[in-house]
Structures are given as structure tokens and as C-alpha cells.
Amino acid sequence: MVTIYDIAAKANVSAMTVSRVINQPERVSEKTRERVLKVMEELHYVPNGMARSLVLQESKILFLLVTDIRNPFYTTLARGAEDAAAENGFRLLFGNSDESPDKESNYVETILKTRVDGALIAPSGDASLPSLERLRKHKVPFVLLDREVPGIECDVVLGDSISGARQLVGHLAELGHRRIALVNGSLAVSSARYRQEGYREALKTFGLAYDERYVLEAGFGLEHDPAAIEAWLKRLDPLPTAIVAGNNVLALHVIRLLRARGIRVPEQVSVAGFDDFGPFAGADPFVTVAAQQAYQFGHTGMRLLIERIRARGEDRPRKRIVLPTALILRKSTAPPV
Amino acid sequence: MVTIYDIAAKANVSAMTVSRVINQPERVSEKTRERVLKVMEELHYVPNGMARSLVLQESKILFLLVTDIRNPFYTTLARGAEDAAAENGFRLLFGNSDESPDKESNYVETILKTRVDGALIAPSGDASLPSLERLRKHKVPFVLLDREVPGIECDVVLGDSISGARQLVGHLAELGHRRIALVNGSLAVSSARYRQEGYREALKTFGLAYDERYVLEAGFGLEHDPAAIEAWLKRLDPLPTAIVAGNNVLALHVIRLLRARGIRVPEQVSVAGFDDFGPFAGADPFVTVAAQQAYQFGHTGMRLLIERIRARGEDRPRKRIVLPTALILRKSTAPPV
DNA sequence: TTGTATGCGTTATCAT
DNA sequence: ATGATAACGCATACAA
């Protein structure tokens, strides 16, 4: 490996001068600077980031941990985070917890070991508490995305789940639906709780009774077993005329399972969900959704994180940013028969 | 920051003993080992990966560079790579070049600077040559995915694009189509070249003439301007009765643009493409595709890379693995009117 | 079994 | 403007 000492020897200067050429070029005479640069070129020198980080105690690398890398909500969010990082001279390391607190905990160890400058985290849920406390204890700056965790006070970017749920239920109620069900993520996830809250409020607003048989606590993850949803659908009698899904994964599961039972969407049952489907929704976007500003989640969160890092030591109040959802009407919802 | 010296002091041993407890526990007496472990626990010690990498000259971190993180083909591939990395005790760093050789080149600099142990790269195209040569010059092990680059001899995992194109054209020809067009990626990308080759061969097989007016070289990227496709569609007279798209992005563009012009798919024009749409294809998968084994791309590529790293120095022959495509018939293709 | 000296590649500090 | 030295946190080689 080529080091600054190799450069130094060949250019007849000290290693320090080489280091200066890299970091404070103006403090080196033009003549030697050019000579050193030429040698660096010849030897194809590339600075060793680890050595640099070791002495500087900073890496200019940040970490983004999402719960499902295949979910377009998170990839779009990732693009936002990536752009904001690049705009500020940071690099991004990526992790994917698959909604599993265990995998998440592993990634937190990686974050600690690699001494990245900070982390942007979409927590798997309330069970993330120990991992986040660990980051806190080690003074790793972090910002939460999409979900907050009771017991952790920190910067966080959330979607307005309560309002989003109200929009969806309101839309369905105005179409005339009176039996509106909810298939949700685990209530150990803050967004699921808020969505359930908005759902209940909206039912009340429209004079509809809350019936817990019409509410299922499934899970947000792609890998979660849809069998629970299937069993739930099977035992519902009468069927709801509309179903609100807690996220995009659940919406697709519900539509698929309804159709598998020969139930037509939206003719017999309307379906609406949270989160949009990204650029690969298909040529014919089908599902009515309360869309979240995925890109903004990542971009805003990353900006908050970088602010935190820059204001290290200062005791700024935490920020809690809530991004609005947008109701997008498509073909999966229609008036009841 | 807590270091092995802090542990050493509190446990009344030398730093070396602490290091041994971490790396060769069996070479430390049980009594002192337990004492040291207890102190590590108390002080919440986490080894400094950068210092470790600096002396060991290895990081156990690999890099995956894809050309579009929002494309489900690449996220599914990423999951495969991630799993294979974890199975072998490696961590993954992530990058996204957006089909841009410039961004790609930036990431290659990051790969170099951070001294990761190796890289898994889906190149943006033939223009990746200088970046890859740079990696080669610095002896960074890498494996190419999905696309090969003339001038670079290395392990590579490809899809069988020729056969895939034959499948798609064959399917359409057997439905009775005789004017089959091709909207492709840039011919500066190997997969696009192979797909074009398979397209031409299949036309010949079915006794159809190759007409270059029915072939458009657009681009694979999500950000590429669909205007070129639109203009091309507009000037085609007569319209083809079927269009083969070089990837999933192009397939969706084509369908959307056709519909925007009031042309119905598949009633008036059939559309089929490469790559599937991942778990978020929608509840009602619409597009007929030659699906690639995305997960296998990542998993197999990662295994090749790790083999390379382990066999460092040995001069093994390069491997060129070609994964088959699977024709999945759906609703976007039908017999011509 | 445990400890000492040294080096990994870089930068900060102080000197010249 | 340039250089010598120490330090970042850890592991290897050798010694005790």
C-alpha cells in the first residue's frame, strides 16, 4: 500500500508536508506542492480513511438503518437520505433490519464498532429501546425516522398517521361505507398505534361504532405470515365493506387474499392503505392510499442528524417533525353495493 | 472513549491481556479472563473497528454498488448479497450510482479510501472501465453483477439475456405478432447488447424481418427522460403490435405512454419486459416478463467475492456465471387483433 | 500465562 | 515553509 511516506521519500519532503498538501494546500509552497501532487499521481496514492478517522476521531460516514430494504417507502426514503448526506460531504452506510429487533441490535453493534459519526434509524418498534439506549450511552448521535420509541427523547421525523387514518376512513365513510375494518401493524410500533387512534376517532366522527372484531393486529413486515389475515377474513361475518391497511405491504396482502377467496375489489370490498408504492407501483396504480412523503423523511432526517453532529455538545432541544400525508384516490375504493 | 488501556488499568492487567481476552480467550487464564470481561461489561467497552482494521489490514466490510436502489431488481439482489455476507461474517456498505458513471466513480473513491475488503458492483455500463481499472490497480477484489465490461476480466454473475429475449419474442411471435418492437437500454451496457442480440436471433427464427425503425435505444435508468420513447412511439407508422422492453423501468414507461395516447394494452399493443417487479408489483401483476433471479444474483455474487478474498494471492481462473430467466405470462400480452 | 516494544497510516503540536 | 515527534486504538512478535 502506498503511504504518505512513500510519497514523501520520492518527493524529497517529509511526510508532514505530504499531509499538508492534502489537507492545507495553501500552507505549502507552490513548487513543492506541485512536486508532491505529481508523485501522488504517479504512485496512485489514495489516503487511508481508517488511519485518518483514527486520529481525527471522525469518519464522515453515517449509517442508515431501515426495516425493509425492499419496501419502496424505505428505498425512496434512502434516496432522500443519500442526497442530503452527499450535499453535506457525508457518506452513507446501509443496513436492513427486516423488522427484527435482533438484526437491528446486530446493526447497532456494527454502528458502534465502526465508529460512524451518526445514525439515521427507522426502529423496528418499541423493542428497539435497548439498542437505542446503547447508542445513547455511547454518545452516538441518532435521529429516528417514521416511528418513535417510548423512553427515547430525540430528534424524530414522523408521518401524520392520525390524520392519515382519518383521511382514509373519512374517504370510505363518505363513499357510504359503514363497516370499515382495520388491518394494522403491531401495536408495539408507534405508527400503528397512531393509525389505530386516527381510525377510532374517524369512526366516532362519522357516527360509526368501534368493533374490535373488525380490527386485526398483524405486522408491517414483508415476511410476516399472511395466514393470520386469512383466518381473520374467514371468520368475519358479515364481511366489512371496506378495509383500511396499516401500510402498503398489508394492503397488497389484503387485496390478494380477498381475491383468492373470490371477493372482488373494489366491487365487493374496498381497500385503502398507508404508504404509496414508489416508482414501481405498476403502470396502473390501483390502491387508494394515504401517501407519505418518503423522500422527505430521509432528506429531513438526514439534515437533522447532520445539524446534531455539527452542534455536538450544545444542548439543543429535540425536534419532532411531523410530515403530512396525502390522500390519493385510485381504483381500489368505491361505494358499497 | 473506552479503550483496552482503560480496561487494563481497572482490571490490573496489561492491555495485551485485554486484547487476548477478545481475540484468543483460550490463551488467558479463566480467572483473569472473567475479571477482564466483567470490567469490559462495566465500562461498556466496544472495540474500535478502525484501529483494528488499521493493524489487521482487513475490515470485514464489503461494498455493494447498485445502479438504482429504487429498482426492486436491485433491492432483491441486495437482500441476497446481504444474507450471503452475514453468513460469512461480513458487513455490507451500500452505494447507489443512479446509472451515472460519475456517481459511480465517486463511490469507487469511497471504496478505495475506506479500505473495504472487496466490492460487489453492478456497473453503470462500459463507461465503468476506468473506475474498475482503478480498483484493479489497487488490488481491491471485486465481482461484477448483471453487466460485464469489455476490457475487464473478472468474476461476474449475469442473466441469460439472449435467451430471455428469445423467450419474450418467441412468446409474442407464437401469439401471432409480426411487428415486434424493442425499447432497450443504452448499447453501452452489456445486458442491452445481449438483449438486442437475442431479439434479432428470435426474429430470424420466426421469419420476421429486422427493422431498425422498430428498435429504440433509450436508457435503463428511472430518471431517464421518457420523452425519447414518446417521440419514437409517435413517429412509428404503423405501430408495432407488440413491444419488448429492455427492463422493468422501460416496460412501465411504455405502458404508461401508450395509454396516455389512448392505446390499450394488451388489446391494441402487447408489452413484455425484462425483470420482475419484486414484492411490490401490485396485487394484480400485469406485465409479462422474463424474470431474473434477482436474489441469486446477489447471493451468488457475494459468495464469489468472498471466495476471491479468501483465496487472495492464488491465481484462480475467473468465473462467469449465467443465471437463466423465467418467462412469466401475465396480462400485458395477448394475440394481435 | 502475561507483559514490553513496535508498527499500522495519518494528523496535531511544537520546533526550526 | 518545512520537519520531528507523539498520539489515535489495537494486535503481532518476542520476551519474561
Side-chain angles (χ1 to χ4, degrees):
Chain A
M1 177 184 302
V2 180
T3 73
I4 52 174
Y5 283 92
D6 301 320
I7 312 291
K10 196 162 178 184
N12 278 314
V13 293
S14 74
M16 228 10 254
T17 300
V18 179
S19 176
R20 283 205 192 87
V21 169
I22 297 168
N23 302 298
Q24 309 153 327
E26 71 285 356
R27 291 189 44 188
V28 177
S29 80
E30 192 173 330
K31 231 170 52 185
T32 60
R33 192 197 320 154
E34 279 173 9
R35 186 158 32 105
V36 170
L37 284 172
K38 201 173 142 212
V39 175
M40 284 177 39
E41 192 77 18
E42 284 171 21
L43 266 46
H44 305 294
Y45 171 73
V46 177
N48 185 322
M50 320 205 100
R52 199 158 193 280
S53 302
L54 189 59
V55 43
L56 291 182
Q57 303 283 38
E58 72 163 21
S59 63
K60 288 287 178 188
I61 294 180
L62 302 176
F63 202 100
L64 171 61
L65 186 51
V66 300
T67 62
D68 188 352
I69 200 185
R70 281 174 299 182
N71 190 322
F73 172 70
Y74 286 114
T75 58
T76 306
L77 176 156
R79 281 302 321 280
E82 193 183 19
D83 288 350
E87 287 160 15
N88 291 279
F90 283 86
R91 289 288 171 190
L92 250 200
L93 220 153
F94 232 90
N96 170 45
S97 68
D98 267 339
E99 301 277 357
S100 144
D102 279 353
K103 285 196 186 181
E104 181 175 77
S105 161
N106 275 331
Y107 271 111
V108 165
E109 290 310 308
T110 302
I111 288 172
L112 257 20
K113 273 212 256 293
T114 54
R115 301 295 198 269
V116 293
D117 294 346
L120 212 50
I121 298 183
S124 62
D126 297 353
S128 303
L129 183 60
S131 287
L132 297 177
E133 280 175 336
R134 205 161 151 65
L135 288 179
R136 163 102 354 132
K137 180 147 42 201
H138 287 273
K139 301 198 195 311
V140 178
F142 63 88
V143 170
L144 257 33
L145 297 180
D146 189 42
R147 302 167 179 180
E148 51 192 351
V149 174
I152 295 290
E153 297 276 307
C154 66
D155 292 338
V156 54
V157 181
L158 300 171
D160 193 344
S161 289
I162 296 185
S163 159
R166 279 206 214 100
Q167 288 176 321
L168 291 173
V169 174
H171 161 62
L172 293 166
E174 282 166 4
L175 283 175
H177 292 275
R178 304 198 52 83
R179 270 199 318 283
I180 302 172
L182 172 68
V183 183
N184 205 351
S186 160
L187 291 182
V189 176
S190 70
S191 54
R193 286 193 293 272
Y194 287 126
R195 283 161 200 183
Q196 187 136 342
E197 192 179 329
Y199 166 81
R200 292 191 72 152
E201 285 180 12
L203 288 185
K204 185 176 289 182
T205 302
F206 286 87
L208 304 175
Y210 175 84
D211 183 341
E212 64 181 11
R213 287 172 304 172
Y214 285 96
V215 174
L216 177 67
E217 182 181 349
F220 281 145
L222 199 49
E223 316 293 342
H224 278 148
D225 191 1
I229 306 176
E230 198 172 358
W232 175 75
L233 281 176
K234 195 174 274 174
R235 74 169 176 266
L236 282 187
D237 186 26
L239 268 181
T241 62
I243 300 179
V244 172
N247 78 345
N248 48 11
V249 174
L250 289 167
L252 293 184
H253 274 322
V254 166
I255 291 174
R256 192 175 44 75
L257 290 168
L258 285 172
R259 286 184 173 157
R261 300 190 55 205
I263 298 165
R264 295 167 63 194
V265 178
E267 292 82 354
Q268 294 170 270
V269 175
S270 286
V271 177
F274 269 87
D275 300 334
D276 210 344
F277 299 89
F280 286 86
D284 192 9
F286 178 74
V287 187
T288 291
V289 293
Q292 304 210 74
Q293 302 178 29
Y295 185 93
Q296 285 306 321
F297 272 74
H299 201 270
T300 303
M302 183 55 84
R303 277 181 13 227
L304 288 183
L305 177 59
I306 292 174
E307 272 178 34
R308 270 290 157 201
I309 291 171
R310 293 203 172 128
R312 202 164 205 137
E314 300 176 34
D315 195 33
R316 303 195 179 186
R318 80 193 196 97
K319 288 188 182 166
R320 183 174 183 278
I321 293 181
V322 178
L323 301 175
T325 57
L327 185 63
I328 302 180
L329 302 183
R330 295 204 276 243
K331 299 178 190 162
S332 66
T333 51
V337 282
Chain B
M1 178 184 302
V2 180
T3 75
I4 53 173
Y5 286 93
D6 301 320
I7 312 289
K10 194 161 179 187
N12 278 314
V13 293
S14 74
M16 220 17 247
T17 300
V18 178
S19 177
R20 282 204 192 88
V21 169
I22 297 169
N23 301 298
Q24 309 153 328
E26 71 284 357
R27 289 189 46 190
V28 176
S29 80
E30 193 174 328
K31 232 170 53 185
T32 59
R33 191 196 321 152
E34 279 174 8
R35 186 157 33 107
V36 169
L37 284 172
K38 200 174 144 211
V39 176
M40 285 175 43
E41 192 77 18
E42 285 171 22
L43 266 47
H44 305 296
Y45 171 72
V46 177
N48 185 322
M50 319 204 103
R52 201 159 191 280
S53 302
L54 188 59
V55 42
L56 290 183
Q57 304 283 38
E58 71 163 21
S59 63
K60 288 289 180 185
I61 294 180
L62 302 176
F63 202 101
L64 170 61
L65 186 52
V66 299
T67 62
D68 187 353
I69 200 186
R70 280 174 301 181
N71 191 321
F73 172 70
Y74 287 114
T75 59
T76 306
L77 176 157
R79 281 303 321 278
E82 192 184 19
D83 287 351
E87 287 160 14
N88 291 279
F90 283 85
R91 288 287 169 193
L92 250 198
L93 221 154
F94 232 88
N96 171 45
S97 68
D98 267 338
E99 300 276 356
S100 146
D102 278 354
K103 285 195 187 183
E104 182 175 75
S105 161
N106 273 331
Y107 271 110
V108 165
E109 290 310 309
T110 302
I111 289 172
L112 256 21
K113 273 212 256 292
T114 54
R115 302 293 198 270
V116 293
D117 294 346
L120 213 50
I121 297 183
S124 63
D126 297 354
S128 304
L129 184 60
S131 286
L132 298 177
E133 281 175 335
R134 202 160 154 64
L135 288 179
R136 162 105 351 132
K137 181 147 41 201
H138 287 274
K139 301 197 194 312
V140 178
F142 63 88
V143 170
L144 256 36
L145 296 180
D146 189 43
R147 303 169 180 181
E148 51 192 351
V149 173
I152 295 289
E153 297 274 308
C154 67
D155 293 336
V156 55
V157 181
L158 299 172
D160 192 344
S161 288
I162 296 184
S163 161
R166 280 208 214 98
Q167 289 176 321
L168 291 173
V169 173
H171 161 61
L172 294 166
E174 282 167 2
L175 284 175
H177 291 278
R178 303 197 52 81
R179 271 199 318 283
I180 302 173
L182 173 67
V183 182
N184 206 351
S186 159
L187 292 180
V189 177
S190 70
S191 54
R193 287 193 294 272
Y194 287 126
R195 283 161 200 185
Q196 187 137 342
E197 191 179 329
Y199 166 81
R200 292 192 72 151
E201 285 180 12
L203 288 184
K204 186 177 288 180
T205 302
F206 287 86
L208 304 176
Y210 176 84
D211 183 340
E212 64 180 11
R213 289 173 303 172
Y214 285 96
V215 174
L216 177 68
E217 182 182 348
F220 280 145
L222 199 48
E223 316 293 342
H224 279 148
D225 192 1
I229 306 177
E230 197 170 2
W232 174 76
L233 281 176
K234 195 173 273 173
R235 74 170 177 266
L236 281 186
D237 186 25
L239 269 181
T241 62
I243 300 179
V244 171
N247 77 347
N248 46 12
V249 175
L250 289 167
L252 293 184
H253 274 322
V254 166
I255 292 174
R256 193 175 44 75
L257 291 167
L258 284 172
R259 288 184 172 159
R261 298 191 55 207
I263 298 165
R264 294 168 64 196
V265 179
E267 291 81 356
Q268 293 171 271
V269 175
S270 285
V271 176
F274 268 87
D275 300 335
D276 209 345
F277 298 88
F280 286 85
D284 192 7
F286 177 74
V287 187
T288 291
V289 294
Q292 303 211 73
Q293 302 177 29
Y295 185 92
Q296 286 305 321
F297 272 74
H299 201 270
T300 303
M302 183 54 83
R303 276 180 14 226
L304 288 183
L305 177 60
I306 292 173
E307 271 178 35
R308 270 290 158 202
I309 291 170
R310 292 203 172 128
R312 201 167 206 136
E314 298 176 37
D315 195 31
R316 304 196 178 184
R318 79 193 196 96
K319 287 188 183 167
R320 185 174 182 278
I321 292 180
V322 178
L323 301 175
T325 57
L327 184 64
I328 302 179
L329 302 183
R330 295 205 275 242
K331 299 178 188 162
S332 67
T333 52
V337 281

